[in-house]
């Protein structure tokens, strides 16, 4: 009986909190972050706006919504109660331990990861990249070194007896002939067996034939692994490559924090589009942001005839969980979470995901 009384009081307190919020509209802050918050004139739309509206309906509360830059939105929620401008924050806001120190969060409503957008190289840039690639230079050095060694061996064994292969009279000409014989030997398999006159050269040619086959296969494998499709598209092959490039990220974002933790210098902007435009113009080499946001932005831009040369690399860093920001010690966190769980199971939410992200 005592438990029943406590449950009744708890439910009454919860209902009273919601009732109080229903009489006074909640102050909601939003930070633009397509496709979760999209600002078009005075109208806000997007996945996050839709989801919050459904949650508010489920809770039976009204709200007033104001658009802020991301940093100002967080400040509006986390400031002292007397000066607090927002009770709830809607954006593509990642749930992090650092943010939990000064605001509360709802349950996660979307899962993504940090992605990297780059501008794909043109033909000449790709060609120069291949020539300057360390794998190319290493492979060429190995090839020439072994060709020179093989050519020297055959020259020492054959130059006095094989006028067919060695005809040069000058020292430079003899060196060139020796190198050419070595190069042809390695690339063709051996030169025809009968082209060597001495028995030692013929035995050596037979023994080196197998080694040459493995050598070419090894060099080919090294070059193939170095020249993947992604390495040809961009200078970014792993996270540390970003350290020597011009990188952009949203200010006050988890992407910017991730880059800082990784020791990667970067510049920040309050909005994503200026960063994407700078990438398109060649003023940045990479833009680091949440993959879902990048994917939507590039998809929309390409549909409008822009960003045709931009793409997202298939690397996934630092998985992210989006949640609604709530004022510290929020009285309605449980109501928000219960409504969120209900709405996320609805067909309307699934259709919205397909509409905005196609997944």
């Amino acid at each position: 009986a005592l438990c029943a009384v406590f449950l009744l009081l708890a439910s009454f307190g919860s209902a009273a909190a919601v009732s109080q919020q229903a009489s006074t509209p909640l102050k909601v802050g939003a930070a633009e972050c397509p496709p979760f918050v999209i600002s078009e004139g005075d109208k806000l739309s997007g996945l996050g706006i839709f989801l919050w509206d459904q949650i508010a309906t489920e809770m039976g509360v009204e709200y007033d919504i104001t658009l802020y830059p991301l940093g100002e939105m967080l400040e509006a929620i986390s400031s002292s109660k007397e000066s607090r401008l927002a009770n709830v924050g809607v954006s593509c806001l990642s749930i992090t331990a650092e943010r939990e120190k000064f605001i509360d969060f709802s349950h996660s409503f979307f899962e993504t990861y940090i992605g990297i957008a780059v501008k794909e190289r043109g033909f000449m840039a790709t060609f120069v990249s291949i020539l300057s690639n360390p794998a190319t230079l290493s492979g060429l050095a190995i090839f020439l070194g072994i060709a020179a060694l093989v050519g020297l061996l055959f020259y020492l064994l054959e130059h006095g007896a094989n006028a067919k292969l060695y005809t040069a009279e000058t020292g430079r000409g003899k060196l060139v002939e020796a190198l050419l014989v070595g190069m042809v030997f390695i690339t063709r398999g051996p030169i025809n067996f009968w082209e060597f006159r001495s028995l030692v050269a013929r035995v050596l040619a037979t023994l080196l034939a197998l080694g040459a086959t493995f050598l070419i296969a090894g060099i080919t494998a090294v070059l193939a692994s170095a020249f993947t499709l992604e390495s040809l598209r961009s200078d970014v092959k792993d996270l540390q490559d970003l350290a020597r490039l011009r990188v952009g990220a949203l200010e006050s974002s988890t992407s910017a924090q991730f880059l800082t933790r990784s020791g990667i210098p970067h510049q920040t902007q309050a909005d994503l589009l200026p960063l994407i435009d700078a990438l398109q113009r060649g003023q940045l080499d990479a833009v680091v942001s949440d993959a879902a946001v990048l994917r939507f932005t590039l998809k929309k831009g390409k549909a409008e005839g822009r960003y045709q040369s931009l793409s997202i690399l298939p690397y996934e860093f630092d998985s992210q969980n989006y949640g609604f920001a709530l004022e510290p010690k929020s009285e309605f966190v449980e109501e928000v979470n219960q409504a969120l769980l209900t709405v996320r199971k609805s067909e309307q939410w699934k259709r919205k995901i397909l509409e905005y992200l196609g997944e």
Side-chain angles (χ1 to χ4, degrees):
L2 186 59
C3 290
V5 171
F6 280 134
L7 289 173
L8 181 61
L9 289 173
S11 63
F12 175 78
S14 175
V18 174
S19 175
Q20 182 181 5
Q21 295 298 337
S23 60
T24 303
L26 288 177
K27 294 178 288 185
V28 177
E32 188 167 11
C33 186
F36 297 92
V37 177
I38 302 171
S39 174
E40 297 173 320
D42 296 331
K43 182 181 178 183
L44 293 178
S45 61
L47 282 169
I49 297 297
F50 169 82
L51 186 58
W52 170 253
D53 188 68
Q54 294 293 303
I55 288 172
T57 300
E58 187 77 17
M59 292 172 58
V61 298
E62 296 182 353
Y63 63 92
D64 296 324
I65 191 164
T66 304
L67 189 66
Y68 297 95
L70 179 60
E72 291 183 21
M73 184 192 78
L74 293 174
E75 202 173 310
I77 297 169
S78 61
S79 58
S80 64
K81 190 170 184 180
E82 295 74 20
S83 59
R84 189 170 297 153
L85 299 177
N87 310 110
V88 179
V90 182
S91 189
C92 50
L93 194 63
S94 297
I95 301 172
T96 66
E98 291 82 2
R99 288 171 175 165
E100 282 274 12
K101 293 176 182 177
F102 57 90
I103 58 174
D104 285 342
F105 278 103
S106 70
H107 290 328
S108 170
F109 67 79
F110 193 85
E111 294 73 42
T112 185
Y113 57 89
I114 290 178
I116 303 172
V118 297
K119 187 174 183 178
E120 296 180 9
R121 293 192 182 107
F123 173 78
M124 284 305 300
T126 300
F127 181 70
V128 170
S129 175
I130 291 174
L131 293 181
S132 61
N133 190 292
T136 303
L137 300 178
S138 298
L140 183 60
I142 292 171
F143 172 77
L144 290 176
I146 295 177
L149 178 61
V150 170
L152 177 61
L153 288 174
F154 283 126
Y155 178 79
L156 293 175
L157 292 170
E158 291 281 301
H159 75 280
N162 198 331
K164 181 179 179 181
L165 290 179
Y166 303 102
T167 60
E169 297 181 356
T170 65
R172 181 177 296 178
K174 292 175 182 179
L175 288 175
V176 171
E177 280 184 335
L179 182 60
L180 290 176
V181 169
M183 292 174 65
V184 171
F185 184 94
I186 292 175
T187 54
R188 282 178 49 187
I191 296 173
N192 294 331
F193 180 85
W194 55 86
E195 292 183 2
F196 295 107
R197 290 184 177 276
S198 66
L199 178 61
V200 175
R202 291 184 175 187
V203 171
L204 183 62
T206 303
L207 294 176
L208 289 178
L210 183 60
T213 301
F214 282 110
L215 173 66
I216 294 300
I219 292 176
T220 301
V222 169
L223 294 178
S225 64
F227 298 132
T228 61
L229 177 60
E230 299 310 326
S231 68
L232 294 178
R233 286 168 57 187
S234 168
D235 287 325
V236 182
K237 303 172 189 64
D238 58 43
L239 185 63
Q240 293 310 310
D241 285 336
L242 292 175
R244 56 184 175 79
L245 302 177
R246 298 167 299 173
V247 180
L250 279 172
E251 66 183 25
S252 304
S253 68
T254 51
S255 299
Q257 294 168 7
F258 174 73
L259 291 171
T260 300
R261 291 197 306 271
S262 302
I264 298 172
H266 58 282
Q267 57 180 272
T268 59
Q269 293 269 8
D271 299 308
L272 183 63
L273 284 180
L275 293 171
I276 297 296
D277 289 338
L279 179 63
Q280 177 66 44
R281 292 192 299 268
Q283 297 170 339
L284 288 176
D285 299 308
V287 172
V288 178
S289 188
D290 293 353
V293 177
L294 288 174
R295 189 175 297 114
F296 174 82
T297 303
L298 296 191
K299 178 182 177 182
K300 182 180 179 183
K302 288 181 179 182
E304 298 169 350
R306 299 178 293 142
Y307 309 149
Q308 300 303 318
S309 61
L310 303 187
S311 62
I312 301 171
L313 297 177
Y315 309 136
E316 299 183 9
F317 302 104
D318 201 33
S319 60
Q320 305 288 309
N321 292 281
Y322 293 160
F324 293 110
L326 302 173
E327 61 186 337
K329 299 180 181 179
S330 171
E331 298 177 357
F332 44 83
V333 60
E334 288 303 322
E335 288 77 25
V336 169
N337 285 332
Q338 290 172 16
L340 172 58
L341 293 173
T342 299
V343 176
R344 281 200 66 174
K345 293 179 180 178
S346 68
E347 289 301 318
Q348 296 98 315
W349 173 244
K350 294 175 183 177
R351 285 197 294 269
K352 281 293 178 181
I353 293 286
L354 287 172
E355 176 185 338
Y356 283 97
L357 297 176
E359 59 182 46

